[in-house]
Amino acid sequence: MAAAVRDGDPGPAQELLVAWNTVSTGLVPPAALGLASSRTSGAVPPKEEELRAAVEVLRGHGLHSVLEEWFVEVLQNDLQANISLEFWNTISQRENYADEPQCLLLLLDAFGLLESRLDPYLHSLELLEKWTRLGLLMGAGAQGLREKVHTTLRGVLFFSTPRTFQEMIQRLYGRFLRVYMQSKRKGEGGTDPELEGELDSRYARRRYYRLLQSPLCAGCGSDKQQCWCRQALEQFHQLSQVLHRLSLLERVSAEAVTTTLHQVTRERMEDRCRGEYERSFLREFHKWIERVVGWLGKVFLQDGPARPASPEAGNTLRRWRCHVQRFFYRIYASLRIEELFSIIRDFPDSRPAIEDLKYCLERTDQRQQLLLSLKAALETRLLHPGVNTCDIITLYISAIKALRVLDPSMVILEVACEPIRRYLRTREDTVRQIVAGLTGDSDGTGDLAVELSKTDPASLETGQDSEDDSGEPEDWVPDPVDADPGKSSSKRRSSDIISLLVSIYGSKDLFINEYRSLLADRLLHQFSFSPEREIRNVELLKLRFGEAPMHFCEVMLKDMADSRRINANIREEDEKRPAEEQPPFGVYAVILSSEFWPPFKDEKLEVPEDIREALEVYCKKYEKLKAMRTLSWKHTLGLVTMDVELADRTLSVAVTPVQAVVLLYFQDQVLAATPHSQLDPGGAEQGGEDARGPAAAAHVGVAAAGRAA
């Protein structure tokens, strides 16, 4: 510029020099140019009209294109040399304050100083943007220039923030959230809407009484007599206004806000949800999230109540709402996945927890986490020798019910519970426990009896291999991506508890044979059984396994009914005889069809002569009733009712045939035993060619009937 004045026309050169001096001293603080401030020198800052006239002069000489770059460069140099150092010196002098009110005042002072130093630049930025819109300047445009300035501010001031500053910001924003939430919980009427109608919950009662008894404010953490919640809200509002004006709000607070939200969400969830399975927390947390979003609005939206929020601020708030919701779903799902074993164990009381987990899984990608966690929990807590087979089956049944609610496609059940199925195949008593549960003989697996009695059971006769095409096409839902493509989707979805238990071994024959054995044992050793109950069980099992496989069991029950009728006929004939021809004791036989009953052990027992004679007499009476039939006795099966006379008392006992024989053999030497009442033996017969050859049982054994030779 000086060369232009000496060598060229002094008029235009002087005009350009004056214009540049006017613009430079009017747009940036004189100190940034190495000049004395206007207050010290007594110079009056140029007015906006003068600055615009000077810009017109620069534009006439083609220098308006470099004005924006010069402005950003001066700002950057001033930030690096002066403003940034002053700001961080102010912070470092008192950053170790442990008192939160003092820390908050420190931040207000530091950022207030920063605002005062940057205020001339921000005012000049508005003028430059105005001139750009009027076409006086050339460059990146008004929006581009503002972005450059704010990027320079963030880059220079917070290129590397001290750890102590970050910790202080995080601590204060955590306090700000608690103060805000406490103010909202109290409400205008002084009541806590979060507790209204919830005092029946464990958490609400505990928290309510804790708030009443604590001498400290739940918001600011100070003594209730020295509560500074209202002051804290006002000071945070002032701080947010300064940060918003400097466009440093997200840069300064975003990390602290994120950490605070994560920490508070985890604490609240741990305190409120862990171990509570019988109620849903989703609705309650959605309300809480909306209150958190209200706090975020206080942090990031600086519009007054009379002005609507700007689109940029609205977008920021929506992003934060999505972030908080996704974080909540992920953390809540992780908590329930960690507790899933206990949730399954407590099902159906824990159904609300299952439904909450299902809702969260639909919004997160945590299926693989669930599968790995549940399989590990099953291996550690269930599948080991210390757990009874009945308990394993009971939990597997609960898993079927719970995981069907969680995942109707049954893929999670199929994958996560495969270790249970594999382990049950190694237990020798698995089939017996399942069958006992089906017939109601096991206390631990009573759900199986209820499942068996359902009115519309899934038949196992066809194997369920056909696809179900009865549903509407619009109701079709594809299987998850982790489903086994080699298995039928409709078969998996339609499988019920019994079919899943039967499929452990892949064949229903094992269960049918085991049921025959249990039925035979009950019929022959538990003479107080209920015929109606056994008939009902057989009919229900026929619906599951088909008619043909259950035919043997039907014949076994018919044998019991025929035995009662034959015994009644023989007893009726005996009662018609004179008293001297009456048998010394009663003999009642269970007449069996040997081909339809499970095989019995071939054990021999020598019975006393009078017993043998009584059995032969009964056999002849039976042969008279059933021509071409005879009996083959099984002496080790049955029941003997007898009186045992001791020296001082007489005992009436019901013993096995073996025990009765021992007593009878000793009656002459030690004690006198007189069998006097009915003997109800049960046993299996060795039948002849006829499938329904009768067998008889006496007080000592059971006889098997067949065709007479």
Side-chain angles (χ1 to χ4, degrees), residues 75-76 79-80 84 88 118 147-161 246-248 251-252:
L75 171 62
Q76 181 175 345
L79 284 170
Q80 293 173 340
S84 179
W88 288 112
L118 293 176
E147 184 61 32
K148 282 184 180 181
V149 171
H150 292 158
T151 301
T152 302
L153 287 176
R154 292 189 293 267
V156 175
L157 287 171
F158 298 101
F159 174 74
S160 177
T161 56
L246 299 177
S247 295
L248 296 175
R251 178 63 183 85
V252 171

Side-chain angles (χ1 to χ4, degrees), residues 389-410:
T389 303
C390 180
D391 295 333
I392 298 177
I393 295 173
T394 299
L395 192 127
Y396 182 42
I397 294 172
S398 295
I400 294 172
K401 295 179 179 180
L403 297 181
R404 186 190 295 274
V405 175
L406 180 64
D407 176 29
S409 70
M410 304 288 282

Side-chain angles (χ1 to χ4, degrees), residues 392-622:
I392 298 177
I393 295 173
T394 299
L395 192 127
Y396 182 42
I397 294 172
S398 295
I400 294 172
K401 295 179 179 180
L403 297 181
R404 186 190 295 274
V405 175
L406 180 64
D407 176 29
S409 70
M410 304 288 282
V411 173
I412 292 179
L413 173 68
E414 182 180 76
V415 177
C417 293
E418 179 57 30
I420 299 181
R421 299 165 60 84
R422 187 168 57 248
Y423 185 80
L424 284 175
R425 285 195 289 268
T426 66
R427 290 283 184 108
E428 295 180 354
D429 59 339
T430 297
V431 177
R432 176 169 288 265
Q433 291 289 348
I434 294 174
V435 174
L438 288 173
T439 56
D441 296 326
S442 175
D443 295 335
T445 54
D447 288 344
L448 287 178
V450 176
E451 186 74 14
L452 182 64
S453 62
K454 286 186 176 179
T455 57
D456 188 20
S459 175
L460 299 172
E461 194 171 10
T462 60
Q464 294 181 329
D465 291 331
S466 60
E467 291 288 340
D468 183 10
D469 297 329
S470 59
E472 296 295 333
E474 59 270 15
D475 297 334
W476 177 81
V477 177
D479 284 340
V481 295
D482 51 352
D484 186 354
K487 296 186 178 180
S488 167
S489 173
S490 62
K491 177 181 177 181
R492 185 190 305 112
R493 293 172 186 266
S494 62
S495 298
D496 61 358
I497 294 175
I498 296 179
S499 63
L500 288 169
L501 289 171
V502 171
S503 65
I504 291 176
Y505 291 91
S507 171
K508 59 186 178 183
D509 295 337
L510 283 173
F511 294 88
I512 295 173
N513 292 334
E514 183 64 30
Y515 175 72
R516 286 179 61 207
S517 299
L518 287 176
L519 180 61
D521 181 74
R522 188 158 49 248
L523 296 179
L524 299 180
H525 296 91
Q526 301 177 16
F527 294 97
S528 60
F529 74 92
S530 170
E532 294 79 10
R533 175 191 172 194
E534 299 302 334
I535 293 173
R536 176 178 176 273
N537 285 340
V538 169
E539 292 298 325
L540 291 173
L541 289 172
K542 283 166 61 177
L543 296 176
R544 293 279 180 173
F545 297 103
E547 295 272 351
M550 299 304 299
H551 177 62
F552 283 22
C553 298
E554 289 184 292
V555 174
M556 293 166 63
L557 292 176
K558 189 175 186 302
D559 285 345
M560 301 302 292
D562 292 344
S563 299
R564 288 193 295 271
R565 189 183 71 254
I566 292 173
N567 285 323
N569 291 337
I570 293 177
R571 186 175 182 179
E572 184 179 355
E573 292 295 327
D574 290 341
E575 291 176 350
K576 294 178 181 179
R577 296 181 182 184
E580 61 273 10
E581 297 182 10
Q582 294 283 339
F585 49 84
V587 177
Y588 296 87
V590 177
I591 303 172
L592 313 178
S593 303
S594 58
E595 288 82 357
F596 295 90
W597 287 70
F600 298 97
K601 293 181 180 180
D602 190 11
E603 298 176 330
K604 295 183 179 181
L605 177 67
E606 292 293 333
V607 298
E609 186 64 28
D610 54 347
I611 301 293
R612 184 181 297 108
E613 291 176 358
L615 295 179
E616 291 177 355
V617 170
Y618 187 94
C619 184
K620 291 178 180 179
K621 295 175 183 177
Y622 174 78

Side-chain angles (χ1 to χ4, degrees), residues 69-336:
E69 296 181 7
W70 169 83
F71 177 78
V72 174
E73 182 178 354
V74 172
L75 171 62
Q76 181 175 345
N77 292 335
D78 196 14
L79 284 170
Q80 293 173 340
N82 303 302
I83 300 176
S84 179
L85 294 178
E86 292 179 11
F87 172 77
W88 288 112
N89 285 337
T90 304
I91 294 291
S92 62
Q93 289 175 3
R94 293 176 290 179
E95 64 182 0
N96 294 324
Y97 281 173
D99 188 71
E100 290 179 354
Q102 291 183 348
C103 290
L104 184 53
L105 290 175
L106 166 64
L107 287 180
L108 281 174
D109 291 342
F111 282 102
L113 173 63
L114 181 62
E115 182 184 27
S116 65
R117 293 298 308 272
L118 293 176
D119 187 68
Y121 291 100
L122 297 177
H123 177 69
S124 299
L125 176 61
E126 294 178 358
L127 290 177
L128 292 173
E129 290 178 333
K130 180 179 179 180
W131 296 336
T132 301
R133 287 192 295 270
L134 295 174
L136 298 178
L137 299 179
M138 296 176 56
Q143 198 65 29
L145 177 60
R146 178 170 290 274
E147 184 61 32
K148 282 184 180 181
V149 171
H150 292 158
T151 301
T152 302
L153 287 176
R154 292 189 293 267
V156 175
L157 287 171
F158 298 101
F159 174 74
S160 177
T161 56
R163 182 176 58 84
T164 53
F165 175 77
Q166 296 175 346
E167 292 175 352
M168 180 173 60
I169 291 291
Q170 180 179 329
R171 187 169 73 252
L172 289 176
Y173 270 92
R175 179 61 61 193
F176 181 25
L177 175 59
R178 287 174 173 82
V179 169
Y180 175 84
M181 298 299 281
Q182 178 67 10
S183 66
K184 288 299 180 182
R185 280 194 293 264
K186 288 181 178 178
E188 295 181 358
T191 59
D192 189 344
E194 188 175 315
L195 294 178
E196 291 179 358
E198 295 183 8
L199 290 181
D200 57 334
S201 72
R202 183 192 69 181
Y203 172 83
R205 288 195 302 270
R206 184 172 69 244
R207 182 177 176 278
Y208 178 73
Y209 292 118
R210 188 170 66 229
L211 290 176
L212 288 179
Q213 298 172 3
S214 175
L216 302 179
C217 174
C220 63
S222 302
D223 190 279
K224 291 182 178 179
Q225 302 299 325
Q226 300 176 350
C227 175
W228 61 286
C229 288
R230 184 181 298 276
Q231 180 183 358
L233 290 175
E234 294 174 355
Q235 291 175 346
F236 268 108
H237 181 68
Q238 296 172 13
L239 178 62
S240 296
Q241 284 183 323
V242 174
L243 294 175
H244 180 71
R245 174 167 166 74
L246 299 177
S247 295
L248 296 175
L249 189 54
E250 284 209 55
R251 178 63 183 85
V252 171
S253 62
E255 182 177 352
V257 168
T258 301
T259 304
T260 297
L261 290 177
H262 290 185
Q263 178 182 349
V264 172
T265 304
R266 283 193 175 97
E267 290 175 355
R268 181 183 178 87
M269 196 173 299
E270 190 72 23
D271 189 23
R272 201 174 186 96
C273 304
R274 182 172 292 278
E276 287 280 349
Y277 312 139
E278 298 183 8
R279 52 187 290 253
S280 173
F281 290 92
L282 287 180
R283 183 178 179 183
E284 173 187 324
F285 265 90
H286 284 155
K287 292 181 179 179
W288 181 79
I289 288 173
E290 288 305 314
R291 290 198 292 271
V292 170
V293 172
W295 174 71
L296 292 172
K298 292 291 184 181
V299 173
F300 294 108
L301 297 181
Q302 298 305 317
D303 296 287
R307 293 180 298 169
S310 64
E312 181 182 355
N315 292 334
T316 300
L317 195 59
R318 280 191 292 271
R319 290 198 305 270
W320 277 99
R321 175 186 277 109
C322 292
H323 172 80
V324 174
Q325 289 177 340
R326 285 197 302 268
F327 180 77
F328 163 71
Y329 294 145
R330 186 170 68 253
I331 296 301
Y332 188 55
S334 297
L335 174 65
R336 289 313 188 204

Side-chain angles (χ1 to χ4, degrees), residues 639-665:
L639 181 70
V640 180
T641 303
M642 58 194 312
D643 287 342
V644 179
E645 296 179 0
L646 303 178
D648 56 346
R649 63 189 184 278
T650 299
L651 302 177
S652 179
V653 295
V655 296
T656 65
V658 174
Q659 295 169 335
V661 168
V662 172
L663 288 173
L664 291 173
Y665 272 124

